Amino acid sequence: MKASALKRSTNAKTSNTSKITRATVMKQANGKLPASMLLALHWDKEKTLIAAPAAADLARLNAAFKKKFGKNLDIDLAYRTLDTQKFLYQELGHYIAAKPGTSNHGWGLAIDVPETYNYSFKGKYYKWLKANSKKYNWTHRKNLEEFRANGSRNPYAEAWHFEYVGK
């Protein structure tokens, strides 16, 4: 894989002026979204890319997070090209990375926050995000929880992964 496949764009727009919808994004090939459907997160110094319809609600979530914690929400990853998905699947395996072409990251409709203590299942940022993200059309799926309903540890647990469920 070429390093350029992992490079993040810094000249993308930061608002959904074209009024692109989630339905339009979902009709695209996973990991092959046209640049016109991706926006850069304005508060993120790396200008992480995300699908246009998810950006406004993520910005609202970030504003509430910043009001609560006095800092912006840290975004580790969001949109992933198909090449990036293939690379991560090969490097991390199926417990961590989705099968290439099936990840919500491939439509720019998922974010990963850093894997640090404050964003872990015990951390204050995760707990706040878990309790408040739905108000902003973002969710942390139950199948990613640390423990399963029967009390056993979940090998697929991901405190860092949130998905956009809005329009």
Side-chain angles (χ1 to χ4, degrees), residues 46-64:
E46 294 189 34
K47 300 298 183 207
T48 299
L49 296 175
I50 191 162
D57 284 334
L58 186 57
R60 291 183 325 110
L61 177 62
N62 179 60

PDB file of all heavy atoms in Angstrom, residues 46-64:
ATOM      1  N   GLU A  46      -5.887  18.190  11.791  1.00  0.00           N
ATOM      2  CA  GLU A  46      -5.539  17.294  10.686  1.00  0.00           C
ATOM      3  C   GLU A  46      -6.589  17.311   9.576  1.00  0.00           C
ATOM      4  O   GLU A  46      -6.464  16.619   8.580  1.00  0.00           O
ATOM      5  CB  GLU A  46      -5.330  15.878  11.203  1.00  0.00           C
ATOM      6  CG  GLU A  46      -4.118  15.785  12.108  1.00  0.00           C
ATOM      7  CD  GLU A  46      -3.776  14.343  12.440  1.00  0.00           C
ATOM      8  OE1 GLU A  46      -3.973  13.468  11.579  1.00  0.00           O
ATOM      9  OE2 GLU A  46      -3.298  14.122  13.553  1.00  0.00           O
ATOM     10  N   LYS A  47      -7.645  18.081   9.769  1.00  0.00           N
ATOM     11  CA  LYS A  47      -8.715  18.205   8.784  1.00  0.00           C
ATOM     12  C   LYS A  47      -9.263  16.835   8.380  1.00  0.00           C
ATOM     13  O   LYS A  47      -9.410  16.497   7.212  1.00  0.00           O
ATOM     14  CB  LYS A  47      -8.245  18.973   7.549  1.00  0.00           C
ATOM     15  CG  LYS A  47      -7.781  20.377   7.858  1.00  0.00           C
ATOM     16  CD  LYS A  47      -8.908  21.201   8.436  1.00  0.00           C
ATOM     17  CE  LYS A  47      -8.456  22.630   8.677  1.00  0.00           C
ATOM     18  NZ  LYS A  47      -9.185  23.273   9.725  1.00  0.00           N
ATOM     19  N   THR A  48      -9.571  16.039   9.380  1.00  0.00           N
ATOM     20  CA  THR A  48     -10.146  14.717   9.165  1.00  0.00           C
ATOM     21  C   THR A  48     -11.386  14.842   8.294  1.00  0.00           C
ATOM     22  O   THR A  48     -12.197  15.749   8.483  1.00  0.00           O
ATOM     23  CB  THR A  48     -10.487  14.078  10.525  1.00  0.00           C
ATOM     24  OG1 THR A  48      -9.274  13.944  11.277  1.00  0.00           O
ATOM     25  CG2 THR A  48     -11.146  12.731  10.362  1.00  0.00           C
ATOM     26  N   LEU A  49     -11.544  13.914   7.354  1.00  0.00           N
ATOM     27  CA  LEU A  49     -12.670  13.939   6.427  1.00  0.00           C
ATOM     28  C   LEU A  49     -13.819  13.085   6.930  1.00  0.00           C
ATOM     29  O   LEU A  49     -13.614  12.025   7.518  1.00  0.00           O
ATOM     30  CB  LEU A  49     -12.223  13.423   5.059  1.00  0.00           C
ATOM     31  CG  LEU A  49     -11.168  14.259   4.359  1.00  0.00           C
ATOM     32  CD1 LEU A  49     -10.721  13.571   3.078  1.00  0.00           C
ATOM     33  CD2 LEU A  49     -11.656  15.665   4.077  1.00  0.00           C
ATOM     34  N   ILE A  50     -15.043  13.576   6.652  1.00  0.00           N
ATOM     35  CA  ILE A  50     -16.257  12.880   7.049  1.00  0.00           C
ATOM     36  C   ILE A  50     -17.306  13.147   5.976  1.00  0.00           C
ATOM     37  O   ILE A  50     -17.228  14.145   5.264  1.00  0.00           O
ATOM     38  CB  ILE A  50     -16.724  13.362   8.447  1.00  0.00           C
ATOM     39  CG1 ILE A  50     -17.812  12.461   8.983  1.00  0.00           C
ATOM     40  CG2 ILE A  50     -17.152  14.810   8.419  1.00  0.00           C
ATOM     41  CD1 ILE A  50     -18.014  12.599  10.475  1.00  0.00           C
ATOM     42  N   ALA A  51     -18.301  12.266   5.862  1.00  0.00           N
ATOM     43  CA  ALA A  51     -19.374  12.473   4.893  1.00  0.00           C
ATOM     44  C   ALA A  51     -20.108  13.773   5.216  1.00  0.00           C
ATOM     45  O   ALA A  51     -20.371  14.085   6.387  1.00  0.00           O
ATOM     46  CB  ALA A  51     -20.338  11.301   4.901  1.00  0.00           C
ATOM     47  N   ALA A  52     -20.444  14.490   4.181  1.00  0.00           N
ATOM     48  CA  ALA A  52     -21.071  15.800   4.338  1.00  0.00           C
ATOM     49  C   ALA A  52     -22.303  15.791   5.256  1.00  0.00           C
ATOM     50  O   ALA A  52     -22.423  16.668   6.116  1.00  0.00           O
ATOM     51  CB  ALA A  52     -21.415  16.383   2.967  1.00  0.00           C
ATOM     52  N   PRO A  53     -23.242  14.838   5.118  1.00  0.00           N
ATOM     53  CA  PRO A  53     -24.428  14.906   5.985  1.00  0.00           C
ATOM     54  C   PRO A  53     -24.142  14.716   7.468  1.00  0.00           C
ATOM     55  O   PRO A  53     -24.912  15.154   8.314  1.00  0.00           O
ATOM     56  CB  PRO A  53     -25.333  13.788   5.454  1.00  0.00           C
ATOM     57  CG  PRO A  53     -24.468  12.908   4.651  1.00  0.00           C
ATOM     58  CD  PRO A  53     -23.323  13.739   4.166  1.00  0.00           C
ATOM     59  N   ALA A  54     -23.030  14.081   7.811  1.00  0.00           N
ATOM     60  CA  ALA A  54     -22.701  13.827   9.216  1.00  0.00           C
ATOM     61  C   ALA A  54     -21.985  15.005   9.875  1.00  0.00           C
ATOM     62  O   ALA A  54     -21.952  15.113  11.099  1.00  0.00           O
ATOM     63  CB  ALA A  54     -21.826  12.582   9.314  1.00  0.00           C
ATOM     64  N   ALA A  55     -21.437  15.889   9.082  1.00  0.00           N
ATOM     65  CA  ALA A  55     -20.569  16.945   9.607  1.00  0.00           C
ATOM     66  C   ALA A  55     -21.282  17.932  10.532  1.00  0.00           C
ATOM     67  O   ALA A  55     -20.745  18.281  11.582  1.00  0.00           O
ATOM     68  CB  ALA A  55     -19.911  17.695   8.449  1.00  0.00           C
ATOM     69  N   ALA A  56     -22.468  18.375  10.169  1.00  0.00           N
ATOM     70  CA  ALA A  56     -23.166  19.378  10.987  1.00  0.00           C
ATOM     71  C   ALA A  56     -23.517  18.814  12.362  1.00  0.00           C
ATOM     72  O   ALA A  56     -23.329  19.483  13.385  1.00  0.00           O
ATOM     73  CB  ALA A  56     -24.416  19.889  10.278  1.00  0.00           C
ATOM     74  N   ASP A  57     -24.027  17.573  12.392  1.00  0.00           N
ATOM     75  CA  ASP A  57     -24.369  16.971  13.686  1.00  0.00           C
ATOM     76  C   ASP A  57     -23.120  16.682  14.508  1.00  0.00           C
ATOM     77  O   ASP A  57     -23.136  16.818  15.731  1.00  0.00           O
ATOM     78  CB  ASP A  57     -25.194  15.703  13.489  1.00  0.00           C
ATOM     79  CG  ASP A  57     -26.641  16.005  13.126  1.00  0.00           C
ATOM     80  OD1 ASP A  57     -27.133  17.091  13.484  1.00  0.00           O
ATOM     81  OD2 ASP A  57     -27.285  15.149  12.492  1.00  0.00           O
ATOM     82  N   LEU A  58     -22.029  16.326  13.858  1.00  0.00           N
ATOM     83  CA  LEU A  58     -20.778  16.127  14.595  1.00  0.00           C
ATOM     84  C   LEU A  58     -20.270  17.457  15.141  1.00  0.00           C
ATOM     85  O   LEU A  58     -19.771  17.520  16.268  1.00  0.00           O
ATOM     86  CB  LEU A  58     -19.717  15.460  13.722  1.00  0.00           C
ATOM     87  CG  LEU A  58     -18.429  15.074  14.449  1.00  0.00           C
ATOM     88  CD1 LEU A  58     -18.702  14.143  15.633  1.00  0.00           C
ATOM     89  CD2 LEU A  58     -17.451  14.422  13.476  1.00  0.00           C
ATOM     90  N   ALA A  59     -20.447  18.521  14.395  1.00  0.00           N
ATOM     91  CA  ALA A  59     -20.052  19.851  14.880  1.00  0.00           C
ATOM     92  C   ALA A  59     -20.894  20.249  16.098  1.00  0.00           C
ATOM     93  O   ALA A  59     -20.371  20.825  17.058  1.00  0.00           O
ATOM     94  CB  ALA A  59     -20.174  20.885  13.772  1.00  0.00           C
ATOM     95  N   ARG A  60     -22.179  19.916  16.080  1.00  0.00           N
ATOM     96  CA  ARG A  60     -23.041  20.210  17.236  1.00  0.00           C
ATOM     97  C   ARG A  60     -22.619  19.369  18.440  1.00  0.00           C
ATOM     98  O   ARG A  60     -22.582  19.867  19.561  1.00  0.00           O
ATOM     99  CB  ARG A  60     -24.511  19.954  16.900  1.00  0.00           C
ATOM    100  CG  ARG A  60     -25.102  20.938  15.908  1.00  0.00           C
ATOM    101  CD  ARG A  60     -26.592  20.775  15.594  1.00  0.00           C
ATOM    102  NE  ARG A  60     -27.105  19.426  15.578  1.00  0.00           N
ATOM    103  CZ  ARG A  60     -27.944  18.913  16.492  1.00  0.00           C
ATOM    104  NH1 ARG A  60     -28.377  19.636  17.490  1.00  0.00           N
ATOM    105  NH2 ARG A  60     -28.377  17.674  16.387  1.00  0.00           N
ATOM    106  N   LEU A  61     -22.295  18.104  18.196  1.00  0.00           N
ATOM    107  CA  LEU A  61     -21.798  17.233  19.272  1.00  0.00           C
ATOM    108  C   LEU A  61     -20.494  17.802  19.828  1.00  0.00           C
ATOM    109  O   LEU A  61     -20.309  17.866  21.045  1.00  0.00           O
ATOM    110  CB  LEU A  61     -21.587  15.807  18.752  1.00  0.00           C
ATOM    111  CG  LEU A  61     -21.000  14.795  19.734  1.00  0.00           C
ATOM    112  CD1 LEU A  61     -21.906  14.589  20.941  1.00  0.00           C
ATOM    113  CD2 LEU A  61     -20.736  13.470  19.022  1.00  0.00           C
ATOM    114  N   ASN A  62     -19.617  18.237  18.953  1.00  0.00           N
ATOM    115  CA  ASN A  62     -18.352  18.820  19.391  1.00  0.00           C
ATOM    116  C   ASN A  62     -18.588  20.080  20.229  1.00  0.00           C
ATOM    117  O   ASN A  62     -17.920  20.278  21.248  1.00  0.00           O
ATOM    118  CB  ASN A  62     -17.464  19.151  18.191  1.00  0.00           C
ATOM    119  CG  ASN A  62     -16.164  19.778  18.625  1.00  0.00           C
ATOM    120  OD1 ASN A  62     -15.381  19.181  19.363  1.00  0.00           O
ATOM    121  ND2 ASN A  62     -15.929  21.009  18.206  1.00  0.00           N
ATOM    122  N   ALA A  63     -19.525  20.923  19.823  1.00  0.00           N
ATOM    123  CA  ALA A  63     -19.811  22.154  20.573  1.00  0.00           C
ATOM    124  C   ALA A  63     -20.280  21.822  21.994  1.00  0.00           C
ATOM    125  O   ALA A  63     -19.852  22.461  22.966  1.00  0.00           O
ATOM    126  CB  ALA A  63     -20.852  22.998  19.839  1.00  0.00           C
ATOM    127  N   ALA A  64     -21.144  20.817  22.123  1.00  0.00           N
ATOM    128  CA  ALA A  64     -21.620  20.412  23.452  1.00  0.00           C
ATOM    129  C   ALA A  64     -20.478  19.804  24.265  1.00  0.00           C
ATOM    130  O   ALA A  64     -20.347  20.074  25.464  1.00  0.00           O
ATOM    131  CB  ALA A  64     -22.767  19.413  23.318  1.00  0.00           C
TER     132      ALA A  64
END
